[in-house]
Each structure stands twice: as structure tokens, then as C-alpha cells.
Amino acid sequence: MLDNLNPATGQIIAKIPNSNHADVAKATDAAKLALPNWRGLTKGERINWLNKIAQALEERSEDIAKTESMDTGKPIALARRVDAARSISNFRFFAKHAEQLTENKFTMADATNYVIRKPVGVVGLITPWNLPLYLLSWKVAPALVMGNTIVAKPSEMTPMTANLLAKTLHDIDFPKGVVNIVHGLGPSTGQAILEHPEICAISFTGGTETGKIVAKTAGPMFKKLSLELGGKNATIILDDADLETAATGAAKAAFTNSGQVCLCGSRVLIDAKIYDAFVPKFIDAVAAMKVGNPADESTDIGSVISQQHMEKVLSYIELAKQEGGTITHGGQRIIPNHASLQNGSFISPTVIENLSISSRCATEEIFGPVVTLHKFDSDFEAIEMANSTQYGLAGSIWTSDTTRGKQFAKQIDSGILWVNTWLHRDLRTPFGGVKNSGVGREGGDWSLNFFSELSNICVKDD
Ligand code: NAD
């Protein structure tokens, strides 16, 4: 058994099994057994189930938010607004989106081709700790609606809401064996999922280094593979940006969920002409963020995910100093003034200036409340800087000229770009990265395509 801790208090809140190959094999057997009946339902029947799951989760939405906040250390208001809300809407969205899916038909002079979709089979879903149920449901919903059965492993650091999902499915008499959740560590439980020969597809969200292991194991087995990996995203402030709006937007992009969102803008690139005017506004926006008790409704930034992660983030702050950086704001651990939080893993939002764009702190994914600021002298240089890391997940551009912003966005090697906004999501759009940020896309049709196999049936006319 493994201890599961609340990172804001350092207290053990649960114990989870570290499942092994035999446990994963049992889960896969259950999923295989349930597959014929589940795929045999009509699409309409599966859509009804998705809506029922959404309804049941909605009735527990406060429970989801509280559990997620306790498990991750994120502020309760954020857990309500983002985690609970999106977990529910993921099911509603894919129910609606699948309804609109039509079959392609290609007519020849003497035959008709019917392109039909079949489920892939038993699919393996592996997810990280930063948005636990949000990212798990983002995979579970499309997998289910396309007729697959599931073996899923949440992060060992945040198992609670996956368990809550399992309980919810049980309470609504969801067919047994269709969704199987196995808890445990990556190298044991996760690896067993990757290696199981009856699991036909792997949808993975997590770090780039883990993604390499996933690809190395599942690739030679010809499993269908979706990899959503890390990022080092740029927030680009052009010389014509509204500085107040850009400062608030860049601060939100850098520090939401303590900077632990794969889409966070952890490098802010600023036109030299406005650098001195922008930075004080940015620092003011960061200083206004309240760090502390996740249970407090007015908290903006809670703890990071674990003590070990806090130490990793603090070691990057030390490295930044050695690399010649200047800490302009924050830079240290915080111990909130609350008895239960004395062992919590809190870090003040940290702003670092004067680092080279090629320094380790400006190129490696820190995945914490740390942002580096960089000056550029031309649009060309800004694009070069934005594209200068191994990653290519997301980015945002701030300008008063949206045509210029869109042109700029076209030159950045990332899967997701925003102009004058950040984390503004339409679930129908493709989501995913290029370069070492991943392979494949999720969202809308892209998720439904991943969780289905196309077959062409060519029927000769009578
Ligand atoms: P991680 O790679 O350490 O773990 C992710 C999952 O993989 C966990 O469930 C873990 O137990 C499992 N795992 C670890 N080793 C494994 C192995 N050998 N075989 C199979 N499974 C294994 O990532 P994390 O620290 O949980 O999450 C943070 C990372 O996730 C960051 O890099 C972040 O950018 C990335 N992320 C990406 C996206 C995206 O959509 N691109 C979204 C959220 C997070």
C-alpha cells in the first residue's frame, strides 16, 4: 500500500494499493469480458449513459471540488470552477459531440463504400496529478461513447477523484467491467498497462520523459498511441499590447494552479520598448495573488503537489541565481499562518529576470510557480525565442492588433496559441503539442477518431 498525502498539510489522507501485473491482468480480463455487451449497445444508449454519469457527477460536484482540493493542495475556488466543472462537462460534451457524428459514404458507378467506426477494444488511460479528474474524464468520456472498455490508472499522488468516479459509476448501476481503475506507481502499475497485450490503445498524459518510456514500450506492440506531454510555453507581449490587460493575463497564465498546468506560460517574452512599463504592472498583478490555505475561498495559489516537488522547484530557483538571474518577486517557501499548514508545500509566486533564453531555467519544464522574463528587440527575435525549446505545446500573444497577433501565432511551433486570452477552451478544437510536447490531438473529432477504428465496407451493387 502507498500513502496518499494532502500536500497542503503533509497529512496522510488515504492509502492506495500499488497494483501489480496480476491486478492489471484482472482489470483487463474484466474489461475484455464487458466489451461485447458495451460495444453492442447503440450509440444512443451509450450517449444516455454519458449523460447519466454527468448528472451523477453534478450531484457530487462539491464533493469532487473538496476532494480534488485536498488531494492536490489547489484552492477550493479553482477546484470548483475548473476541476469539478470540466469533469462534468467532459461527459456532457462528448455525449453531444458523438450524437453529431455521421457516417461517410462514397458512391461508385457500381458499388457503395460505407465507412464505419468500430471501437478499438480495451484501452489503457494513464493520467497525471495536476488536473486529476478533469484529464481522466477527458479520456474516459470519448473512449466510452465510441464503445471501448477501459483500464485506467490515475496518478499515485492524486487517486481520490478517480475513486470517486468509480463509486459514482457503481451507484448508478453502470455496467460492470466497462471502467476499471487500477491504482499504483508508474513503473509497476502503469508499465503493466503498457505491456499488457490485450490493451489495444494507450492514451497518456504526463511528462515528456515518461512519454518516451510509454512510446518505447507500446510502439513495438503497434498499440494506438496518444501522447500529451510537457511544455515550456511563451507568453509574448508585443509593443502595442494593452499593458494592464497583458499583465493580468500573463500573471494568470504563469501562476494558475501554482504554475502546474501544462499550458502555463512560464516564459514571458516582452518587447524591449515596453519592458520597463510592463514589468511593474506584471509584478503588481503577481503580488496581488493570495497564497495560502486551499480551503479559504479567497486563495489564488495553494500548495504545489508534494514536498519532493517543492524541493525540485526551489532547486530551480537556486539554479536561476547561479545562472545569473535576479529574483524580482518571491523566490522562497512560504509557511502559511495556520496551524494545520505548517508542513505544507507552499512556494511564493516567483518572477526571475536577466536570465539567458537558453539557460536551464528558461528551457526546462519546472512545472511550478516560477516564471522567467526576457526582452526581445524585434518580432523575428521573439519568434526565435518562442521556438527555442524542445517543447511546442501552447503560447499566448498580447497585442492591440488581432490580425498581427494571428500572423504571429502562425509562426510559433505550438499546437495551441491564444491571442489576448489564455486557457480559453472550445472542446471541439484540437488539443495537443508538437516537438517533444506530444504526438496526436485530443478534443472533439480528434478524440472520437483516436478511440475508434475506421473500416471501409465496399458493397457491389445488385
Ligand atoms: P508523469 O509523467 O510523472 O506521470 C504521469 C502518469 O504516468 C502517472 O500516472 C504516472 O504514475 C505514470 N507513469 C510514470 N511512469 C510510468 C511508466 N514507466 N509506465 C507507465 N506509466 C507511468 O507526469 P506527472 O508528474 O504526473 O505530471 C506532470 C507532467 O504532465 C508535466 O510534464 C506536464 O506538462 C504534463 N501534462 C501534460 C498535459 C498535456 O495535455 N500535454 C496535461 C497535463 C500535464
Side-chain angles (χ1 to χ4, degrees):
M1 301 296 283
L2 305 166
D3 290 339
N4 176 37
L5 275 73
N6 174 343
T9 63
Q11 301 281 307
I12 297 173
I13 50 171
K15 283 189 180 283
I16 57 158
N18 185 15
S19 309
N20 58 22
H21 273 79
D23 299 313
V24 169
K26 274 189 197 165
T28 310
D29 287 347
K32 263 180 71 187
L33 205 64
L35 185 62
N37 281 344
W38 181 251
R39 67 180 287 170
L41 296 182
T42 63
K43 187 174 80 180
E45 287 169 323
R46 291 197 298 270
I47 286 172
N48 286 344
W49 272 118
L50 259 64
N51 284 323
K52 266 190 210 166
I53 299 170
Q55 179 62 33
L57 288 177
E58 193 157 51
E59 285 159 18
R60 292 162 172 80
S61 77
E62 187 58 15
D63 201 7
I64 297 173
K66 283 193 172 140
T67 308
E68 213 69 292
S69 170
M70 195 169 65
D71 215 5
T72 59
K74 69 176 69 188
I76 182 69
L78 181 72
R80 270 194 204 113
R81 194 174 68 245
V82 176
D83 297 75
R86 242 315 269 286
S87 303
I88 298 159
S89 65
N90 281 339
F91 284 99
R92 292 235 161 86
F93 167 75
F94 278 110
K96 189 157 172 247
H97 199 73
E99 219 164 56
Q100 293 154 5
L101 204 63
T102 50
E103 270 187 11
N104 273 322
K105 196 164 92 173
F106 299 95
T107 317
M108 302 164 79
D110 57 350
T112 307
N113 293 281
Y114 299 90
V115 183
I116 60 151
R117 283 171 188 273
K118 297 173 183 166
V120 184
V122 179
V123 296
L125 315 180
I126 300 179
T127 45
W129 47 257
N130 63 330
L131 295 160
L133 189 58
Y134 171 131
L135 289 173
L136 180 62
S137 54
W138 181 234
K139 298 180 189 301
V140 168
L144 285 182
V145 84
M146 298 316 287
N148 305 278
T149 57
I150 292 170
V151 177
K153 190 197 97 59
S155 168
E156 59 279 13
M157 282 192 271
T158 54
M160 301 283 277
T161 47
N163 197 44
L164 207 150
L165 173 67
K167 278 189 189 157
T168 306
L169 295 176
H170 183 78
D171 291 349
I172 61 168
D173 285 328
F174 189 72
K176 290 198 169 35
V178 176
V179 177
N180 304 277
I181 293 175
V182 278
H183 292 284
L185 297 174
S188 45
T189 319
Q191 191 69 27
I193 294 176
L194 302 179
E195 287 171 6
H196 198 295
E198 306 278 359
I199 295 180
C200 312
I202 301 288
S203 177
F204 171 83
T205 300
T208 294
E209 285 310 309
T210 318
K212 285 183 192 166
I213 300 174
V214 175
K216 202 167 140 188
T217 313
M221 297 173 83
F222 303 112
K223 293 184 185 214
K224 233 180 154 178
L225 207 49
S226 163
L227 297 170
E228 297 288 344
L229 309 176
K232 188 76 180 176
N233 312 300
T235 301
I236 305 168
I237 318 293
L238 299 186
D239 57 352
D240 61 356
D242 177 305
L243 296 189
E244 295 289 344
T245 313
T248 318
K252 187 176 156 206
F255 296 112
T256 295
N257 205 31
S258 296
Q260 301 169 129
V261 179
C262 55
L263 307 166
C264 273
S266 51
R267 299 179 297 154
V268 186
L269 316 182
I270 307 148
D271 191 305
K273 294 192 276 304
I274 51 153
Y275 189 91
D276 291 340
F278 173 81
V279 172
K281 291 187 195 303
F282 178 69
I283 303 277
D284 284 351
V286 177
M289 292 177 162
K290 194 175 153 201
V291 188
N293 192 354
D296 187 336
E297 298 287 338
S298 62
T299 294
D300 298 302
I301 300 182
S303 76
V304 296
I305 191 63
S306 66
Q307 190 172 349
Q308 197 190 7
H309 191 56
M310 175 179 71
E311 277 155 18
K312 178 187 149 186
V313 175
L314 291 174
S315 76
Y316 268 106
I317 297 172
E318 281 311 305
L319 175 66
K321 293 176 195 162
Q322 288 162 25
E323 289 187 308
T326 315
I327 314 293
T328 322
H329 185 81
Q332 70 281 323
R333 179 179 182 185
I334 288 185
I335 302 190
N337 192 16
H338 192 284
S340 69
L341 307 176
Q342 300 305 296
N343 294 320
S345 302
F346 295 84
I347 303 175
S348 57
T350 299
V351 181
I352 307 173
E353 289 181 84
N354 301 323
L355 276 178
S356 151
I357 194 71
S358 59
S359 64
R360 281 187 56 201
C361 288
T363 52
E364 296 177 13
E365 189 187 39
I366 300 174
F367 214 56
V370 177
V371 70
T372 60
L373 309 189
H374 309 270
K375 252 181 229 177
F376 63 81
D377 289 314
S378 67
D379 287 4
F380 177 77
E381 193 189 3
I383 290 160
E384 261 198 351
M385 285 169 130
N387 290 337
S388 67
T389 74
Q390 59 163 317
Y391 299 109
L393 187 56
S396 66
I397 296 135
W398 299 78
T399 168
S400 54
D401 178 350
T402 50
T403 308
R404 182 181 174 206
K406 204 172 145 204
Q407 274 308 113
F408 214 94
K410 284 183 183 167
Q411 298 170 78
I412 295 172
D413 303 332
S414 290
I416 307 147
L417 277 317
W418 286 283
V419 177
N420 294 334
T421 183
W422 177 77
L423 201 49
H424 205 94
R425 294 275 296 121
D426 179 331
L427 303 186
R428 294 169 301 179
T429 61
F431 179 97
V434 301
K435 302 198 284 187
N436 291 2
S437 289
V439 180
R441 293 289 179 275
E442 294 187 313
D445 289 351
W446 291 270
S447 291
L448 300 185
N449 286 340
F450 179 77
F451 288 113
S452 58
E453 292 287 7
L454 295 176
S455 277
N456 186 55
I457 304 175
C458 178
V459 181
K460 178 90 169 65
D461 291 341
D462 292 331

